[in-house]
Amino acid sequence: METIFDLPGKRKRLKELEEQLASPDAWSDPDLSRKLNQEKKPLEGDIAEMEALIDLKDEVDTILELAEEEADESLFDELDQNLARLTRDVQNQELKHMLSGESDTKNAIITINSGAGGTESQDWADMLLRMYLHYAEKRDYKTDVVDFLPGEEAGIKNATITVEGRHAYGYLKAEAGVHRLVRISPFDSNKRRHTSFASVFITPEIDDSINIEVDEKDLRIDTYRSSGAGGQHVNTTDSAVRLTHLPTGIVVACQNERSQHKNKSTAMKLLKSKLYEFEMQKRRKESEKTEAEKRDISFGSQIRSYVLAPYRMVKDHRTNVETSNVDAVLDGDIHEFIREFLLRRA
C-alpha cells in the first residue's frame, strides 16, 4: 500500500521541504517561506492519512488471523466493520490521487443563479446555497458569502461564496451545471407540482503565485448599498462594489464588508480568478465543458434532478447515481455524487 500512493516519495519530499525551510534563504525571503509552507502542510496531511491507512490494514490483518484461529463470530463482525472503513478510506485516497489538475488543490468560488421559474427558482437557488454551505461545513472547509441578491418574495436571485480548503475546487468542480427541482410548490395555493432550475458555476480561486493583469480602463465600477437580510450587517452607505470586465463581460460583486475599499479588493480577487478560469478554458479547448456551462437554465440541460413529488429521488444524469434520501442530500450529503463523477471523468 505504501507504493500505491508513493508514500516513500512523499516522505522524501517532506524532508527536502523541512531542510529548505531551515535554511537561511527561507528565513530571509518571506515569499519563499510561504510557498514552501503551502506545499508542506498538505503533504503532512497526506502522509498522516496514508500512515493511518497502513495501520488500519495491519489491524485488519491481525483481526483476520485471530478470527481464523479462534472462529470467534464477534471478531468477524469487527473485521467487517474495519474492512468497510479500509475500503472507504482507500477509495477516498484514490479520489484525491486523481485530483492532479493544475487548479484542483485551490480554493473554490461558487456562483449560484436562479433560472426560469420566478419565486420558485429563487427559493431553489437559496436551497442550493444552503446545501453547499453544509457540504463545506461537513468537510471542515471555511466559507464566506461575498455577494447575495435576495429575491422579491423569497429565496435569492444569485449568490457568490468562497470555499477555502484543500482540494475545494477539485471536488466542487463536479457541481458545475444546471440543477433541477421538482416539488409541490409552497408558493402555489392550488398545491400544484412545479419544476425549477438554478445554475451553479465553479471557479478556482487564484493565489499570488499567478499574476493576472487587469487594466482599469477595461473595468466599469459600480457602487451600491448592500442587500443583506437585515440586522447589524446591513450597510447604510454605498459600500458594495460591482466590477464589470468590459472585454469579456464577466461581472463580479462583493458586499459582505462594511468598507468599500475591502469590497473592491475582494471583488478584484474574484474577477482575477474568473479571468484565469476563462483563459484556462480557452487553452484547454474543452468544448464540451464550455458548451455545458453556456446552456440555458431550463429543461433538458440539467446535470442533476431533485424530485420531492410525486416520489422522492435525487439522480445525477451524468453518472446515473441516485438516492431516495433527498433530505440528506439537501443537507449537504453530496460527496457520493461528486466522487462518482470524478472517478468516471478520470
Side-chain angles (χ1 to χ4, degrees):
M1 186 177 294
E2 289 190 31
T3 57
I4 294 176
F5 304 111
D6 192 22
L7 182 54
K10 289 181 181 293
R11 285 173 172 158
K12 180 182 178 182
R13 179 56 182 158
L14 179 60
K15 185 177 179 180
E16 292 171 351
L17 289 171
E18 290 171 342
E19 290 173 351
Q20 291 178 48
L21 281 165
S23 71
D25 289 343
W27 297 347
S28 60
D29 187 344
D31 289 338
L32 175 61
S33 179
R34 177 180 53 81
K35 183 178 179 181
L36 293 173
N37 275 303
Q38 283 178 340
E39 183 181 354
K40 177 174 174 281
K41 185 175 180 181
L43 194 58
E44 289 175 328
D46 278 348
I47 291 171
E49 289 176 359
M50 292 179 189
E51 288 176 341
L53 270 180
I54 293 169
D55 290 342
L56 182 55
K57 177 186 176 298
D58 291 342
E59 186 176 344
V60 166
D61 290 340
T62 301
I63 296 172
L64 177 60
E65 187 177 337
L66 286 172
E68 290 175 341
E69 289 178 358
E70 301 178 14
D72 187 335
E73 190 171 327
S74 65
L75 287 174
F76 282 104
D77 292 339
E78 185 178 353
L79 179 65
D80 287 342
Q81 293 173 8
N82 281 277
L83 278 172
R85 280 179 53 206
L86 182 62
T87 301
R88 180 198 63 206
D89 291 350
V90 168
Q91 288 174 341
N92 287 336
Q93 285 298 321
E94 287 176 333
L95 187 55
K96 278 187 181 181
H97 188 62
M98 294 175 187
L99 298 179
S100 56
E102 185 175 350
S103 301
D104 284 344
T105 60
K106 298 185 183 300
N107 299 331
I109 300 168
I110 304 177
T111 302
I112 302 170
N113 294 308
S114 61
T119 300
E120 279 290 330
S121 291
Q122 291 165 15
D123 188 54
W124 172 222
D126 197 21
M127 292 167 66
L128 285 174
L129 173 62
R130 176 182 178 274
M131 183 180 80
Y132 290 123
L133 289 172
H134 282 208
Y135 172 75
E137 182 181 2
K138 292 174 189 292
R139 299 193 64 80
D140 294 324
Y141 288 162
K142 179 182 176 183
T143 58
D144 192 10
V145 181
V146 297
D147 190 37
F148 182 94
L149 182 60
E152 287 89 352
E153 297 181 34
I156 59 172
K157 291 182 178 179
N158 57 68
T160 300
I161 64 174
T162 58
V163 183
E164 181 181 339
R166 192 172 179 222
H167 290 115
Y169 175 73
Y171 287 122
L172 284 166
K173 67 184 180 184
E175 292 299 293
V178 176
H179 296 246
R180 169 178 174 253
L181 173 70
V182 180
R183 65 172 175 175
I184 302 298
S185 171
F187 306 102
D188 187 337
S189 58
N190 294 318
K191 302 299 179 184
R192 290 172 295 190
R193 191 165 67 247
H194 284 245
T195 299
S196 308
F197 300 90
S199 66
V200 176
F201 297 89
I202 312 293
T203 309
E205 182 184 84
I206 64 170
D207 53 35
D208 295 337
S209 64
I210 300 174
N211 185 28
I212 302 292
E213 295 291 339
V214 178
D215 193 331
E216 289 277 346
K217 294 184 295 185
D218 291 335
L219 295 179
R220 186 175 74 237
I221 304 174
D222 300 307
T223 59
Y224 58 99
R225 191 164 297 180
S226 67
S227 53
Q232 63 178 338
H233 298 295
V234 173
N235 292 331
T236 57
T237 59
D238 292 342
S239 61
V241 175
R242 181 186 300 110
L243 302 179
T244 303
H245 187 250
L246 300 175
T248 62
I250 293 173
V251 180
V252 297
C254 182
Q255 58 173 301
N256 65 322
E257 302 285 354
R258 290 186 178 275
S259 161
Q260 187 181 112
H261 175 74
K262 289 183 178 178
N263 279 328
K264 183 180 177 182
S265 177
T266 300
M268 186 63 76
K269 188 174 183 179
L270 296 177
L271 177 61
K272 288 183 177 181
S273 294
K274 294 204 172 190
L275 286 171
Y276 171 77
E277 179 66 7
F278 180 80
E279 288 300 321
M280 290 302 293
Q281 285 184 4
K282 285 169 60 177
R283 292 179 194 176
R284 292 192 297 258
K285 295 181 180 179
E286 292 183 348
S287 58
E288 182 179 349
K289 178 181 176 182
T290 303
E291 288 304 312
E293 291 182 349
K294 289 181 179 177
R295 289 173 181 166
D296 291 336
I297 313 174
S298 57
F299 185 78
S301 61
Q302 64 272 5
I303 64 165
R304 191 178 301 148
S305 292
Y306 307 70
V307 181
L308 277 65
Y311 55 90
R312 295 175 66 80
M313 181 70 67
V314 180
K315 180 175 181 178
D316 195 297
H317 302 292
R318 302 164 300 178
T319 63
N320 290 324
V321 171
E322 59 184 46
T323 177
S324 59
N325 195 351
V326 179
D327 293 336
V329 171
L330 293 176
D331 197 40
D333 190 6
I334 59 174
H335 198 66
E336 184 59 28
F337 295 111
I338 291 174
R339 177 181 174 278
E340 189 62 28
F341 171 79
L342 293 176
L343 286 174
R344 293 203 180 193
R345 187 177 183 183

